[in-house]
Amino acid sequence: MQAPAIQAVIFDMDGILIDSEPVWQQAEFQVLHSLGMSVSREAIALTTGLRIDQVVDFWLQRFPEVKVDPQYIADQIIAAVIAYIRRDGKPMRGVVEALSACRSRGLKVGLATSSSWDIIDAVLGKLAITEAFDAIQSAQDFPLGKPHPKVYLSCAAKLALAPSRCLAVEDSFNGLIAARAANMQTLIVPAAEQRQDPRWAAAHYQRDSLEALPTLLDTL
């Protein structure tokens, strides 16, 4: 069956617009170890794409002996990430061109992220791309973040479009699950070291960077 015509592109943020996933993982690693949670960097990758409260809950369930306020842990991780973004944040390869390609083709542009509003503000401000988006949605507003589809469904509603008319651009499996559950077309742009992950077969399309988005849009 031919896919429906795409009328909007909805971007994830961390790992798609800005190279912040390694920073999230480093901040998570440092904060957790400082609290006595001996986690590996490989295990931390399992939380990619999750909302911060889900990340903290994930680890506290595995280290029940650690009696620390979950909000304190979340605040420490978020503060470290925001500090990095404001100091060294850089766009991922092809971001500016991808946003321009959406505009030149008359597509609406959305942002659907598990990150909180303060991180969204830091990223969009640092990259100076706030005005590029017709709708912005944080999973902070809902009981559940990705892989629950609510953040994508809400963004599509803000764009006044059926989810099936949207192409979601993701880099994580949790995000991909959320977008598929929202009945969107999906483009996965994984980190270089994860490109061979067989789970990406769940996506409609896979590319190495956003530089490939303009050409892909011309085929949809």
Side-chain angles (χ1 to χ4, degrees), residues 9-65:
V9 178
I10 301 179
F11 295 86
D12 175 45
M13 188 174 73
D14 296 289
I16 290 296
L17 300 182
I18 191 168
D19 188 16
S20 54
E21 288 295 3
V23 181
W24 272 104
Q25 293 179 14
Q26 178 63 18
E28 193 175 331
F29 181 84
Q30 291 180 338
V31 171
L32 294 176
H33 272 260
S34 74
L35 297 172
M37 294 185 240
S38 299
V39 300
S40 68
R41 295 184 184 276
E42 292 75 18
I44 282 177
L46 296 173
T47 64
T48 301
L50 295 180
R51 197 173 58 185
I52 187 63
D53 60 316
Q54 295 172 295
V55 170
V56 173
D57 183 63
F58 179 92
W59 292 118
L60 288 178
Q61 286 187 36
R62 286 156 179 77
F63 293 91
E65 70 278 8

Side-chain angles (χ1 to χ4, degrees), residues 12-212:
D12 175 45
M13 188 174 73
D14 296 289
I16 290 296
L17 300 182
I18 191 168
D19 188 16
S20 54
E21 288 295 3
V23 181
W24 272 104
Q25 293 179 14
Q26 178 63 18
E28 193 175 331
F29 181 84
Q30 291 180 338
V31 171
L32 294 176
H33 272 260
S34 74
L35 297 172
M37 294 185 240
S38 299
V39 300
S40 68
R41 295 184 184 276
E42 292 75 18
I44 282 177
L46 296 173
T47 64
T48 301
L50 295 180
R51 197 173 58 185
I52 187 63
D53 60 316
Q54 295 172 295
V55 170
V56 173
D57 183 63
F58 179 92
W59 292 118
L60 288 178
Q61 286 187 36
R62 286 156 179 77
F63 293 91
E65 70 278 8
V66 176
K67 306 300 183 183
V68 180
D69 180 14
Q71 190 59 52
Y72 172 82
I73 301 174
D75 289 346
Q76 293 298 305
I77 295 173
I78 288 173
V81 172
I82 289 178
Y84 164 81
I85 290 169
R86 289 177 174 163
R87 184 181 66 247
D88 299 319
K90 294 179 177 61
M92 296 292 285
R93 190 158 48 98
V95 167
V96 174
E97 294 80 4
L99 294 172
S100 177
C102 294
R103 287 296 179 202
S104 66
R105 289 161 176 75
L107 301 175
K108 293 184 178 181
V109 181
L111 176 66
T113 174
S114 291
S115 287
S116 57
W117 285 106
D118 51 357
I119 293 182
I120 293 173
D121 290 342
V123 170
L124 299 190
K126 180 66 174 182
L127 303 186
I129 57 173
T130 304
E131 300 304 316
F133 297 94
D134 298 298
I136 299 172
Q137 183 60 65
S138 166
Q140 181 183 17
D141 296 345
F142 308 121
L144 296 173
K146 300 174 185 177
H148 194 281
K150 180 64 174 178
V151 66
Y152 273 115
L153 293 171
S154 178
C155 192
K158 286 184 175 182
L159 294 170
L161 290 173
S164 61
R165 299 290 185 179
C166 302
L167 173 70
V169 184
E170 274 286 351
D171 71 312
S172 74
F173 189 61
N174 286 313
L176 177 59
I177 293 172
R180 286 301 309 250
N183 196 33
M184 293 185 177
Q185 296 290 299
T186 52
L187 166 62
I188 191 74
V189 185
E193 65 274 14
Q194 298 175 350
R195 288 173 186 163
Q196 304 308 313
D197 192 325
R199 295 179 301 172
W200 305 142
H204 295 86
Y205 313 99
Q206 179 176 346
R207 298 292 186 271
D208 290 345
S209 81
L210 283 184
E211 291 177 320

